Amino acid sequence: MRNVKWVAAAAGVVLLVAGCGSEGGSDKGGSASVTGGTGASGSGGGKLDAAAVTKEIEAAATGAGFAQDSSGDDIAPELKDCMITWTADAEKAADPVKSYGGTITALTGGGWKELRSNEMNGSVIKSLEKSGWTLQASNHAQGPLKMVMFVAADSGPECAAKIAADNEKARQSS
């Protein structure tokens, strides 16, 4: 249960960043509707779905030297079309900092646009966007706790409402 609440909070951060990330008032992400598993690949301006986003993150991360942490975070069933998480097993990576950088390079090479980057106390969090999705790529691999996580959320209004409702439900149960 702890993991689910953390993911919901992370999704809230993703949405907060997505809301502040528009450049020049234009929406470069295209349609904000949820495709609900259509398998859209995002090529040719199409809308990505959760499966396509997962596939892109997994390909970039594993290609850069990460393995997925099998104990990753569960997403509530009602949010499966709206957000994904992919947690790297940073302990097993030869060089988690290099693998994180390689993952970001692969994602940006695949059409993800970096919106901003924040670094504090050895941790790096980058915000990227593509096709109506906002991705928070977090690298906390410096120091004793090694954690690298990718949390993506569909930034459309339908998913924003679902995530906000889930966050409120989690807050009330705390």
Side-chain angles (χ1 to χ4, degrees), residues 19-74:
C20 299
S22 181
E23 293 181 7
S26 65
D27 177 11
K28 298 181 183 183
S31 169
S33 65
V34 176
T35 59
T38 62
S41 67
S43 59
K47 176 83 172 86
L48 289 172
D49 65 6
V53 171
T54 300
K55 186 176 179 180
E56 287 189 18
I57 293 170
E58 184 170 9
T62 57
F66 282 126
Q68 187 169 14
D69 182 348
S70 60
S71 68
D73 297 307
D74 292 327

Side-chain angles (χ1 to χ4, degrees), residues 19-136:
C20 299
S22 181
E23 293 181 7
S26 65
D27 177 11
K28 298 181 183 183
S31 169
S33 65
V34 176
T35 59
T38 62
S41 67
S43 59
K47 176 83 172 86
L48 289 172
D49 65 6
V53 171
T54 300
K55 186 176 179 180
E56 287 189 18
I57 293 170
E58 184 170 9
T62 57
F66 282 126
Q68 187 169 14
D69 182 348
S70 60
S71 68
D73 297 307
D74 292 327
I75 301 292
E78 61 272 13
L79 298 180
K80 293 275 187 194
D81 291 336
C82 294
M83 69 180 290
I84 65 101
T85 64
W86 200 94
T87 304
D89 189 339
E91 296 287 337
K92 291 183 181 174
D95 183 346
V97 174
K98 185 176 179 181
S99 292
Y100 175 80
T103 302
I104 298 300
T105 298
L107 289 169
T108 56
W112 287 86
K113 179 183 173 189
E114 187 174 326
L115 299 175
R116 69 190 54 78
S117 179
N118 296 309
E119 188 169 344
M120 184 176 198
N121 299 327
S123 292
V124 178
I125 301 174
K126 293 185 179 282
S127 299
L128 298 97
E129 74 167 357
K130 180 179 181 182
S131 216
W133 283 78
T134 301
L135 168 65
Q136 292 289 348

Side-chain angles (χ1 to χ4, degrees), residues 117-170:
S117 179
N118 296 309
E119 188 169 344
M120 184 176 198
N121 299 327
S123 292
V124 178
I125 301 174
K126 293 185 179 282
S127 299
L128 298 97
E129 74 167 357
K130 180 179 181 182
S131 216
W133 283 78
T134 301
L135 168 65
Q136 292 289 348
S138 304
N139 176 12
H140 310 285
Q142 305 278 21
L145 174 65
K146 300 200 181 321
M147 184 167 70
V148 177
M149 186 173 198
F150 303 90
V151 178
D154 183 318
S155 54
E158 185 178 338
C159 283
K162 286 180 182 181
I163 292 170
D166 189 68
N167 285 340
E168 181 61 29
K169 184 170 47 173

